[in-house]
Each structure stands twice: as structure tokens, then as C-alpha cells.
mmCIF file of all heavy atoms in Angstrom:
data_model
loop_
_atom_site.group_PDB
_atom_site.id
_atom_site.type_symbol
_atom_site.label_atom_id
_atom_site.label_comp_id
_atom_site.label_asym_id
_atom_site.label_seq_id
_atom_site.Cartn_x
_atom_site.Cartn_y
_atom_site.Cartn_z
ATOM 1 N N LEU A 1 5.774 9.816 0.751
ATOM 2 C CA LEU A 1 5.972 9.843 -0.586
ATOM 3 C C LEU A 1 7.538 9.564 -0.885
ATOM 4 O O LEU A 1 7.880 9.003 -2.007
ATOM 5 C CB LEU A 1 5.643 11.161 -1.266
ATOM 6 C CG LEU A 1 4.211 11.393 -1.398
ATOM 7 C CD1 LEU A 1 3.922 12.716 -1.885
ATOM 8 C CD2 LEU A 1 3.482 10.317 -2.373
ATOM 9 N N PHE A 2 8.478 9.885 -0.024
ATOM 10 C CA PHE A 2 9.768 9.766 -0.173
ATOM 11 C C PHE A 2 10.352 8.294 0.326
ATOM 12 O O PHE A 2 11.580 8.102 0.199
ATOM 13 C CB PHE A 2 10.617 10.797 0.575
ATOM 14 C CG PHE A 2 10.212 12.112 0.182
ATOM 15 C CD1 PHE A 2 9.207 13.009 0.949
ATOM 16 C CD2 PHE A 2 10.714 12.761 -0.846
ATOM 17 C CE1 PHE A 2 8.870 14.313 0.479
ATOM 18 C CE2 PHE A 2 10.590 14.000 -1.279
ATOM 19 C CZ PHE A 2 9.471 14.756 -0.620
ATOM 20 N N LEU A 3 9.472 7.559 0.709
ATOM 21 C CA LEU A 3 9.849 6.140 0.994
ATOM 22 C C LEU A 3 9.963 5.344 -0.231
ATOM 23 O O LEU A 3 8.948 5.137 -0.913
ATOM 24 C CB LEU A 3 8.938 5.492 1.982
ATOM 25 C CG LEU A 3 8.855 6.049 3.480
ATOM 26 C CD1 LEU A 3 7.788 5.305 4.215
ATOM 27 C CD2 LEU A 3 10.239 5.737 4.061
ATOM 28 N N PRO A 4 11.223 4.752 -0.445
ATOM 29 C CA PRO A 4 11.209 3.957 -1.769
ATOM 30 C C PRO A 4 10.611 2.570 -1.609
ATOM 31 O O PRO A 4 10.457 2.022 -0.398
ATOM 32 C CB PRO A 4 12.816 3.579 -1.856
ATOM 33 C CG PRO A 4 13.342 3.777 -0.601
ATOM 34 C CD PRO A 4 12.493 4.901 0.145
ATOM 35 N N PHE A 5 10.069 2.117 -2.607
ATOM 36 C CA PHE A 5 9.351 0.896 -2.720
ATOM 37 C C PHE A 5 10.039 -0.251 -2.160
ATOM 38 O O PHE A 5 9.544 -1.091 -1.370
ATOM 39 C CB PHE A 5 8.829 0.565 -3.974
ATOM 40 C CG PHE A 5 8.123 -0.776 -4.107
ATOM 41 C CD1 PHE A 5 6.780 -0.925 -3.543
ATOM 42 C CD2 PHE A 5 8.591 -1.796 -4.832
ATOM 43 C CE1 PHE A 5 6.089 -2.081 -3.796
ATOM 44 C CE2 PHE A 5 7.973 -3.059 -4.908
ATOM 45 C CZ PHE A 5 6.634 -3.219 -4.397
ATOM 46 N N PRO A 6 11.307 -0.515 -2.487
ATOM 47 C CA PRO A 6 12.010 -1.746 -1.881
ATOM 48 C C PRO A 6 12.164 -1.544 -0.297
ATOM 49 O O PRO A 6 12.343 -2.711 0.281
ATOM 50 C CB PRO A 6 13.544 -1.602 -2.458
ATOM 51 C CG PRO A 6 13.314 -0.904 -3.579
ATOM 52 C CD PRO A 6 12.217 0.230 -3.453
ATOM 53 N N VAL A 7 12.011 -0.408 0.366
ATOM 54 C CA VAL A 7 12.156 -0.361 1.849
ATOM 55 C C VAL A 7 10.950 -1.134 2.431
ATOM 56 O O VAL A 7 11.134 -1.858 3.438
ATOM 57 C CB VAL A 7 12.204 1.066 2.273
ATOM 58 C CG1 VAL A 7 12.118 1.124 3.767
ATOM 59 C CG2 VAL A 7 13.469 1.610 1.755
ATOM 60 N N THR A 8 9.688 -1.019 1.808
ATOM 61 C CA THR A 8 8.606 -1.747 2.427
ATOM 62 C C THR A 8 8.224 -2.999 1.605
ATOM 63 O O THR A 8 7.281 -3.651 2.312
ATOM 64 C CB THR A 8 7.313 -0.686 2.228
ATOM 65 O OG1 THR A 8 7.126 -0.426 0.701
ATOM 66 C CG2 THR A 8 7.611 0.581 2.884
ATOM 67 N N LEU A 9 8.921 -3.455 0.802
ATOM 68 C CA LEU A 9 8.661 -4.651 0.016
ATOM 69 C C LEU A 9 8.681 -5.794 0.961
ATOM 70 O O LEU A 9 7.684 -6.673 1.160
ATOM 71 C CB LEU A 9 9.657 -4.728 -1.148
ATOM 72 C CG LEU A 9 9.500 -6.084 -1.862
ATOM 73 C CD1 LEU A 9 8.058 -6.194 -2.528
ATOM 74 C CD2 LEU A 9 10.539 -6.130 -2.984
ATOM 75 N N ILE A 10 9.845 -6.116 1.635
ATOM 76 C CA ILE A 10 9.919 -7.231 2.498
ATOM 77 C C ILE A 10 8.939 -7.236 3.602
ATOM 78 O O ILE A 10 8.271 -8.202 4.023
ATOM 79 C CB ILE A 10 11.381 -7.530 2.970
ATOM 80 C CG1 ILE A 10 12.235 -7.656 1.721
ATOM 81 C CG2 ILE A 10 11.533 -8.695 3.837
ATOM 82 C CD1 ILE A 10 13.717 -7.795 2.029
ATOM 83 N N PRO A 11 8.857 -6.257 4.394
ATOM 84 C CA PRO A 11 7.845 -6.188 5.534
ATOM 85 C C PRO A 11 6.363 -6.421 5.071
ATOM 86 O O PRO A 11 5.667 -7.092 5.806
ATOM 87 C CB PRO A 11 7.977 -4.740 6.134
ATOM 88 C CG PRO A 11 9.542 -4.325 5.809
ATOM 89 C CD PRO A 11 9.645 -4.910 4.398
ATOM 90 N N MET A 12 6.015 -5.873 3.964
ATOM 91 C CA MET A 12 4.728 -5.992 3.443
ATOM 92 C C MET A 12 4.457 -7.539 2.964
ATOM 93 O O MET A 12 3.519 -8.164 3.401
ATOM 94 C CB MET A 12 4.503 -5.157 2.266
ATOM 95 C CG MET A 12 4.244 -3.697 2.705
ATOM 96 S SD MET A 12 2.862 -3.276 3.653
ATOM 97 C CE MET A 12 1.570 -3.553 2.452
ATOM 98 N N PHE A 13 5.508 -8.098 2.269
ATOM 99 C CA PHE A 13 5.299 -9.477 1.920
ATOM 100 C C PHE A 13 5.241 -10.539 3.046
ATOM 101 O O PHE A 13 4.442 -11.344 3.191
ATOM 102 C CB PHE A 13 6.471 -9.876 0.967
ATOM 103 C CG PHE A 13 6.397 -11.448 0.576
ATOM 104 C CD1 PHE A 13 5.597 -11.555 -0.631
ATOM 105 C CD2 PHE A 13 6.926 -12.394 1.228
ATOM 106 C CE1 PHE A 13 5.516 -12.949 -1.077
ATOM 107 C CE2 PHE A 13 6.834 -13.623 0.683
ATOM 108 C CZ PHE A 13 6.036 -13.893 -0.437
ATOM 109 N N ASP A 14 6.100 -10.151 4.193
ATOM 110 C CA ASP A 14 5.984 -10.883 5.318
ATOM 111 C C ASP A 14 4.677 -10.863 5.990
ATOM 112 O O ASP A 14 4.090 -11.903 6.518
ATOM 113 C CB ASP A 14 7.103 -10.551 6.289
ATOM 114 C CG ASP A 14 7.174 -11.434 7.472
ATOM 115 O OD1 ASP A 14 7.575 -12.526 7.330
ATOM 116 O OD2 ASP A 14 6.882 -10.788 8.696
ATOM 117 N N MET A 15 4.154 -9.673 6.076
ATOM 118 C CA MET A 15 2.766 -9.491 6.794
ATOM 119 C C MET A 15 1.710 -10.086 6.081
ATOM 120 O O MET A 15 0.920 -10.918 6.538
ATOM 121 C CB MET A 15 2.353 -8.066 6.772
ATOM 122 C CG MET A 15 1.113 -7.746 7.404
ATOM 123 S SD MET A 15 0.537 -5.956 7.262
ATOM 124 C CE MET A 15 0.164 -5.830 5.495
ATOM 125 N N TRP A 16 1.553 -10.089 4.661
ATOM 126 C CA TRP A 16 0.580 -10.900 3.823
ATOM 127 C C TRP A 16 0.785 -12.295 3.804
ATOM 128 O O TRP A 16 -0.161 -13.151 3.880
ATOM 129 C CB TRP A 16 0.601 -10.447 2.340
ATOM 130 C CG TRP A 16 0.222 -8.958 2.221
ATOM 131 C CD1 TRP A 16 1.134 -8.004 1.643
ATOM 132 C CD2 TRP A 16 -0.991 -8.232 2.531
ATOM 133 N NE1 TRP A 16 0.403 -6.740 1.745
ATOM 134 C CE2 TRP A 16 -0.986 -6.931 2.195
ATOM 135 C CE3 TRP A 16 -2.188 -8.726 3.214
ATOM 136 C CZ2 TRP A 16 -1.874 -6.068 2.353
ATOM 137 C CZ3 TRP A 16 -3.183 -7.908 3.444
ATOM 138 C CH2 TRP A 16 -3.146 -6.530 3.016
ATOM 139 N N ALA A 17 2.096 -12.887 3.981
ATOM 140 C CA ALA A 17 2.353 -14.235 4.123
ATOM 141 C C ALA A 17 1.837 -14.809 5.454
ATOM 142 O O ALA A 17 1.287 -15.844 5.576
ATOM 143 C CB ALA A 17 3.774 -14.487 3.876
ATOM 144 N N ARG A 18 2.028 -13.917 6.612
ATOM 145 C CA ARG A 18 1.530 -14.433 7.893
ATOM 146 C C ARG A 18 0.089 -14.560 8.021
ATOM 147 O O ARG A 18 -0.492 -15.224 8.668
ATOM 148 C CB ARG A 18 2.163 -13.501 9.006
ATOM 149 C CG ARG A 18 3.719 -13.636 9.141
ATOM 150 C CD ARG A 18 4.221 -12.793 10.138
ATOM 151 N NE ARG A 18 5.611 -12.714 10.372
ATOM 152 C CZ ARG A 18 6.139 -13.705 11.289
ATOM 153 N NH1 ARG A 18 5.440 -14.565 11.994
ATOM 154 N NH2 ARG A 18 7.459 -13.753 11.346
ATOM 155 N N LEU A 19 -0.462 -13.516 7.242
ATOM 156 C CA LEU A 19 -1.947 -13.545 7.192
ATOM 157 C C LEU A 19 -2.628 -14.659 6.251
ATOM 158 O O LEU A 19 -3.780 -14.806 6.058
ATOM 159 C CB LEU A 19 -2.392 -12.248 6.720
ATOM 160 C CG LEU A 19 -2.253 -11.087 7.602
ATOM 161 C CD1 LEU A 19 -2.726 -9.707 7.099
ATOM 162 C CD2 LEU A 19 -3.019 -11.294 8.927
ATOM 163 N N GLY A 20 -1.724 -15.322 5.335
ATOM 164 C CA GLY A 20 -2.170 -16.340 4.563
ATOM 165 C C GLY A 20 -2.831 -15.794 3.221
ATOM 166 O O GLY A 20 -3.634 -16.491 2.618
ATOM 167 N N LEU A 21 -2.464 -14.639 2.903
ATOM 168 C CA LEU A 21 -3.147 -13.983 1.713
ATOM 169 C C LEU A 21 -2.391 -13.865 0.441
ATOM 170 O O LEU A 21 -2.605 -13.201 -0.544
ATOM 171 C CB LEU A 21 -3.638 -12.564 2.079
ATOM 172 C CG LEU A 21 -4.669 -12.441 3.256
ATOM 173 C CD1 LEU A 21 -4.947 -11.043 3.489
ATOM 174 C CD2 LEU A 21 -5.977 -13.097 2.744
ATOM 175 N N VAL A 22 -1.033 -14.412 0.487
ATOM 176 C CA VAL A 22 -0.175 -14.448 -0.631
ATOM 177 C C VAL A 22 -0.883 -15.413 -1.698
ATOM 178 O O VAL A 22 -1.520 -16.483 -1.237
ATOM 179 C CB VAL A 22 1.131 -14.972 -0.324
ATOM 180 C CG1 VAL A 22 2.124 -15.143 -1.590
ATOM 181 C CG2 VAL A 22 1.857 -14.046 0.598
ATOM 182 N N ASN A 23 -0.700 -15.146 -2.983
ATOM 183 C CA ASN A 23 -1.423 -15.786 -4.007
ATOM 184 C C ASN A 23 -2.883 -15.548 -4.058
ATOM 185 O O ASN A 23 -3.688 -16.343 -4.690
ATOM 186 C CB ASN A 23 -1.163 -17.286 -3.849
ATOM 187 C CG ASN A 23 -1.430 -17.972 -5.313
ATOM 188 O OD1 ASN A 23 -1.005 -17.366 -6.386
ATOM 189 N ND2 ASN A 23 -1.735 -19.228 -5.261
ATOM 190 N N THR A 24 -3.373 -14.420 -3.572
ATOM 191 C CA THR A 24 -4.677 -13.941 -3.666
ATOM 192 C C THR A 24 -4.661 -12.562 -4.082
ATOM 193 O O THR A 24 -3.596 -11.813 -4.093
ATOM 194 C CB THR A 24 -5.441 -13.977 -2.267
ATOM 195 O OG1 THR A 24 -4.832 -13.190 -1.428
ATOM 196 C CG2 THR A 24 -5.432 -15.455 -1.879
ATOM 197 N N MET A 25 -5.744 -11.979 -4.487
ATOM 198 C CA MET A 25 -5.776 -10.545 -4.939
ATOM 199 C C MET A 25 -5.858 -9.516 -3.794
ATOM 200 O O MET A 25 -5.691 -8.398 -3.965
ATOM 201 C CB MET A 25 -6.931 -10.333 -5.813
ATOM 202 C CG MET A 25 -7.185 -11.154 -7.065
ATOM 203 S SD MET A 25 -8.696 -10.915 -7.997
ATOM 204 C CE MET A 25 -8.459 -12.011 -9.391
ATOM 205 N N PHE A 26 -6.043 -9.868 -2.629
ATOM 206 C CA PHE A 26 -6.249 -9.079 -1.461
ATOM 207 C C PHE A 26 -4.953 -8.157 -1.184
ATOM 208 O O PHE A 26 -5.118 -6.992 -0.915
ATOM 209 C CB PHE A 26 -6.511 -9.789 -0.269
ATOM 210 C CG PHE A 26 -7.914 -10.495 -0.344
ATOM 211 C CD1 PHE A 26 -8.165 -11.812 -0.385
ATOM 212 C CD2 PHE A 26 -8.952 -9.697 -0.104
ATOM 213 C CE1 PHE A 26 -9.309 -12.353 -0.370
ATOM 214 C CE2 PHE A 26 -10.274 -10.297 -0.221
ATOM 215 C CZ PHE A 26 -10.474 -11.561 -0.346
ATOM 216 N N PRO A 27 -3.765 -8.787 -1.217
ATOM 217 C CA PRO A 27 -2.540 -7.682 -1.145
ATOM 218 C C PRO A 27 -2.508 -6.521 -2.160
ATOM 219 O O PRO A 27 -1.884 -5.477 -1.971
ATOM 220 C CB PRO A 27 -1.326 -8.657 -1.247
ATOM 221 C CG PRO A 27 -1.829 -9.968 -0.979
ATOM 222 C CD PRO A 27 -3.276 -10.043 -1.540
ATOM 223 N N LEU A 28 -3.187 -6.832 -3.266
ATOM 224 C CA LEU A 28 -3.173 -5.718 -4.213
ATOM 225 C C LEU A 28 -4.383 -4.767 -4.123
ATOM 226 O O LEU A 28 -4.406 -3.674 -4.654
ATOM 227 C CB LEU A 28 -3.159 -6.280 -5.644
ATOM 228 C CG LEU A 28 -2.125 -7.197 -6.003
ATOM 229 C CD1 LEU A 28 -2.221 -7.791 -7.408
ATOM 230 C CD2 LEU A 28 -0.768 -6.613 -5.971
ATOM 231 N N ILE A 29 -5.498 -5.193 -3.310
ATOM 232 C CA ILE A 29 -6.677 -4.411 -3.235
ATOM 233 C C ILE A 29 -6.718 -3.712 -1.787
ATOM 234 O O ILE A 29 -7.118 -2.545 -1.903
ATOM 235 C CB ILE A 29 -7.900 -5.288 -3.450
ATOM 236 C CG1 ILE A 29 -7.954 -5.729 -4.902
ATOM 237 C CG2 ILE A 29 -9.161 -4.631 -3.161
ATOM 238 C CD1 ILE A 29 -9.021 -6.845 -5.152
ATOM 239 N N ILE A 30 -6.376 -4.417 -0.820
ATOM 240 C CA ILE A 30 -6.543 -3.853 0.491
ATOM 241 C C ILE A 30 -5.864 -2.560 0.816
ATOM 242 O O ILE A 30 -6.340 -1.655 1.471
ATOM 243 C CB ILE A 30 -6.173 -4.980 1.587
ATOM 244 C CG1 ILE A 30 -7.266 -6.080 1.541
ATOM 245 C CG2 ILE A 30 -6.172 -4.377 3.061
ATOM 246 C CD1 ILE A 30 -6.913 -7.244 2.515
ATOM 247 N N PRO A 31 -4.549 -2.388 0.321
ATOM 248 C CA PRO A 31 -3.846 -1.187 0.546
ATOM 249 C C PRO A 31 -4.511 -0.025 0.080
ATOM 250 O O PRO A 31 -4.433 1.131 0.480
ATOM 251 C CB PRO A 31 -2.445 -1.429 -0.176
ATOM 252 C CG PRO A 31 -2.267 -2.872 -0.108
ATOM 253 C CD PRO A 31 -3.638 -3.526 -0.277
ATOM 254 N N ALA A 32 -5.484 -0.221 -1.088
ATOM 255 C CA ALA A 32 -6.208 1.046 -1.406
ATOM 256 C C ALA A 32 -7.195 1.524 -0.553
ATOM 257 O O ALA A 32 -7.647 2.749 -0.638
ATOM 258 C CB ALA A 32 -6.961 0.677 -2.770
ATOM 259 N N MET A 33 -7.582 0.682 0.426
ATOM 260 C CA MET A 33 -8.512 1.044 1.452
ATOM 261 C C MET A 33 -8.031 2.195 2.464
ATOM 262 O O MET A 33 -8.736 2.835 3.136
ATOM 263 C CB MET A 33 -9.119 -0.099 2.318
ATOM 264 C CG MET A 33 -9.771 -1.057 1.452
ATOM 265 S SD MET A 33 -10.260 -2.567 2.482
ATOM 266 C CE MET A 33 -11.045 -3.574 1.149
ATOM 267 N N PHE A 34 -6.700 2.318 2.510
ATOM 268 C CA PHE A 34 -5.992 3.191 3.457
ATOM 269 C C PHE A 34 -5.452 4.442 2.931
ATOM 270 O O PHE A 34 -4.804 5.136 3.576
ATOM 271 C CB PHE A 34 -5.036 2.310 4.193
ATOM 272 C CG PHE A 34 -5.550 1.102 4.987
ATOM 273 C CD1 PHE A 34 -5.457 -0.070 4.334
ATOM 274 C CD2 PHE A 34 -6.103 1.376 6.203
ATOM 275 C CE1 PHE A 34 -5.998 -1.138 5.036
ATOM 276 C CE2 PHE A 34 -6.599 0.322 6.962
ATOM 277 C CZ PHE A 34 -6.497 -1.047 6.229
ATOM 278 N N GLY A 35 -5.718 4.732 1.601
ATOM 279 C CA GLY A 35 -5.423 5.986 0.993
ATOM 280 C C GLY A 35 -3.903 5.974 0.454
ATOM 281 O O GLY A 35 -3.113 5.141 0.885
ATOM 282 N N SER A 36 -3.611 6.981 -0.280
ATOM 283 C CA SER A 36 -2.375 7.213 -0.873
ATOM 284 C C SER A 36 -1.878 8.599 -0.643
ATOM 285 O O SER A 36 -2.777 9.537 -0.692
ATOM 286 C CB SER A 36 -2.375 6.908 -2.279
ATOM 287 O OG SER A 36 -1.087 7.345 -2.945
ATOM 288 N N ALA A 37 -0.650 8.994 -0.301
ATOM 289 C CA ALA A 37 -0.302 10.279 0.077
ATOM 290 C C ALA A 37 -0.473 11.233 -1.055
ATOM 291 O O ALA A 37 -0.885 12.397 -0.926
ATOM 292 C CB ALA A 37 1.306 10.249 0.408
ATOM 293 N N PHE A 38 -0.121 10.739 -2.343
ATOM 294 C CA PHE A 38 -0.262 11.689 -3.375
ATOM 295 C C PHE A 38 -1.729 11.988 -3.753
ATOM 296 O O PHE A 38 -2.133 13.102 -4.091
ATOM 297 C CB PHE A 38 0.349 11.010 -4.822
ATOM 298 C CG PHE A 38 0.024 11.690 -6.017
ATOM 299 C CD1 PHE A 38 0.736 12.904 -6.207
ATOM 300 C CD2 PHE A 38 -0.780 11.221 -6.986
ATOM 301 C CE1 PHE A 38 0.485 13.538 -7.449
ATOM 302 C CE2 PHE A 38 -0.913 11.915 -8.180
ATOM 303 C CZ PHE A 38 -0.284 13.117 -8.342
ATOM 304 N N TYR A 39 -2.546 10.949 -3.702
ATOM 305 C CA TYR A 39 -4.115 11.168 -3.962
ATOM 306 C C TYR A 39 -4.768 12.076 -2.878
ATOM 307 O O TYR A 39 -5.531 12.981 -3.182
ATOM 308 C CB TYR A 39 -4.854 9.964 -4.065
ATOM 309 C CG TYR A 39 -4.356 8.914 -5.203
ATOM 310 C CD1 TYR A 39 -4.455 7.560 -4.929
ATOM 311 C CD2 TYR A 39 -3.770 9.532 -6.198
ATOM 312 C CE1 TYR A 39 -4.089 6.735 -5.948
ATOM 313 C CE2 TYR A 39 -3.326 8.596 -7.293
ATOM 314 C CZ TYR A 39 -3.502 7.256 -7.131
ATOM 315 O OH TYR A 39 -3.060 6.343 -8.091
ATOM 316 N N VAL A 40 -4.281 11.949 -1.640
ATOM 317 C CA VAL A 40 -4.680 12.794 -0.548
ATOM 318 C C VAL A 40 -4.234 14.188 -0.751
ATOM 319 O O VAL A 40 -4.926 15.099 -0.589
ATOM 320 C CB VAL A 40 -4.193 12.286 0.744
ATOM 321 C CG1 VAL A 40 -4.468 13.298 1.887
ATOM 322 C CG2 VAL A 40 -4.830 10.943 1.197
ATOM 323 N N PHE A 41 -3.064 14.406 -1.179
ATOM 324 C CA PHE A 41 -2.551 15.766 -1.527
ATOM 325 C C PHE A 41 -3.352 16.486 -2.608
ATOM 326 O O PHE A 41 -3.864 17.528 -2.563
ATOM 327 C CB PHE A 41 -1.134 15.765 -1.857
ATOM 328 C CG PHE A 41 -0.508 16.977 -2.418
ATOM 329 C CD1 PHE A 41 -0.223 18.082 -1.560
ATOM 330 C CD2 PHE A 41 -0.336 17.058 -3.683
ATOM 331 C CE1 PHE A 41 0.338 19.178 -2.040
ATOM 332 C CE2 PHE A 41 0.204 18.318 -4.283
ATOM 333 C CZ PHE A 41 0.502 19.361 -3.303
ATOM 334 N N LEU A 42 -3.548 15.592 -3.726
ATOM 335 C CA LEU A 42 -4.301 16.090 -4.920
ATOM 336 C C LEU A 42 -5.772 16.641 -4.458
ATOM 337 O O LEU A 42 -6.151 17.716 -4.739
ATOM 338 C CB LEU A 42 -4.413 15.011 -5.976
ATOM 339 C CG LEU A 42 -5.008 15.569 -7.205
ATOM 340 C CD1 LEU A 42 -4.344 16.667 -7.912
ATOM 341 C CD2 LEU A 42 -5.135 14.271 -8.245
ATOM 342 N N LEU A 43 -6.372 15.726 -3.733
ATOM 343 C CA LEU A 43 -7.875 15.978 -3.240
ATOM 344 C C LEU A 43 -7.852 17.079 -2.263
ATOM 345 O O LEU A 43 -8.722 17.964 -2.294
ATOM 346 C CB LEU A 43 -8.482 14.816 -2.745
ATOM 347 C CG LEU A 43 -8.780 13.591 -3.760
ATOM 348 C CD1 LEU A 43 -9.384 12.462 -3.007
ATOM 349 C CD2 LEU A 43 -9.817 14.178 -4.708
ATOM 350 N N ARG A 44 -6.896 17.209 -1.382
ATOM 351 C CA ARG A 44 -6.832 18.230 -0.377
ATOM 352 C C ARG A 44 -6.720 19.636 -0.956
ATOM 353 O O ARG A 44 -7.371 20.557 -0.722
ATOM 354 C CB ARG A 44 -5.655 18.084 0.645
ATOM 355 C CG ARG A 44 -5.517 19.108 1.504
ATOM 356 C CD ARG A 44 -4.357 18.923 2.460
ATOM 357 N NE ARG A 44 -4.068 20.013 3.414
ATOM 358 C CZ ARG A 44 -3.330 21.043 3.098
ATOM 359 N NH1 ARG A 44 -2.700 21.185 1.978
ATOM 360 N NH2 ARG A 44 -3.042 22.048 4.072
ATOM 361 N N GLN A 45 -5.839 19.676 -2.089
ATOM 362 C CA GLN A 45 -5.672 20.897 -2.704
ATOM 363 C C GLN A 45 -6.978 21.297 -3.338
ATOM 364 O O GLN A 45 -7.216 22.655 -3.494
ATOM 365 C CB GLN A 45 -4.503 20.834 -3.848
ATOM 366 C CG GLN A 45 -3.247 20.687 -3.202
ATOM 367 C CD GLN A 45 -2.761 21.678 -2.128
ATOM 368 O OE1 GLN A 45 -2.729 21.395 -0.968
ATOM 369 N NE2 GLN A 45 -2.595 22.919 -2.542
ATOM 370 N N PHE A 46 -7.712 20.473 -3.894
ATOM 371 C CA PHE A 46 -8.997 20.747 -4.542
ATOM 372 C C PHE A 46 -9.954 21.320 -3.446
ATOM 373 O O PHE A 46 -10.668 22.243 -3.619
ATOM 374 C CB PHE A 46 -9.515 19.646 -5.291
ATOM 375 C CG PHE A 46 -10.776 19.974 -6.154
ATOM 376 C CD1 PHE A 46 -10.552 20.278 -7.537
ATOM 377 C CD2 PHE A 46 -11.974 19.828 -5.567
ATOM 378 C CE1 PHE A 46 -11.744 20.604 -8.333
ATOM 379 C CE2 PHE A 46 -13.131 20.220 -6.316
ATOM 380 C CZ PHE A 46 -12.951 20.554 -7.720
#
């Protein structure tokens, strides 16, 4: 949660560009398949 967004911006874009998925919806959808730290924390507490 403490990782700022700009730190992962360039590596993530480079990864999606190498996979040929830039200009598609997949870079905005696929990360949701691997969870989010805040949502995991919220559900775990419940």
C-alpha cells in the first residue's frame, strides 16, 4: 500500500507494451484478477 503509483508506472507500461496489450482494455482489467492489498485487508478483518 505504501508503494507510490509512479514507481510502478513505467515497469507496468513496459510489460503491457511487450505483451502487445497497449490500446486494449486488458491492462485495466487483468490487475483486478490478482487482488488489492486494501480490499484483502478489508475482507480479512470481516
Side-chain angles (χ1 to χ4, degrees):
L1 288 172
F2 299 97
L3 286 176
F5 177 72
V7 172
T8 60
L9 176 60
I10 296 178
M12 291 292 292
F13 182 85
D14 183 65
M15 181 186 70
W16 295 119
R18 291 177 181 273
L19 293 175
L21 296 178
V22 174
N23 204 30
T24 67
M25 299 180 184
F26 292 108
L28 305 176
I29 296 176
I30 294 179
M33 300 180 182
F34 300 95
S36 168
F38 174 71
Y39 300 151
V40 169
F41 171 78
L42 183 65
L43 290 173
R44 175 182 176 272
Q45 295 305 112
F46 189 94

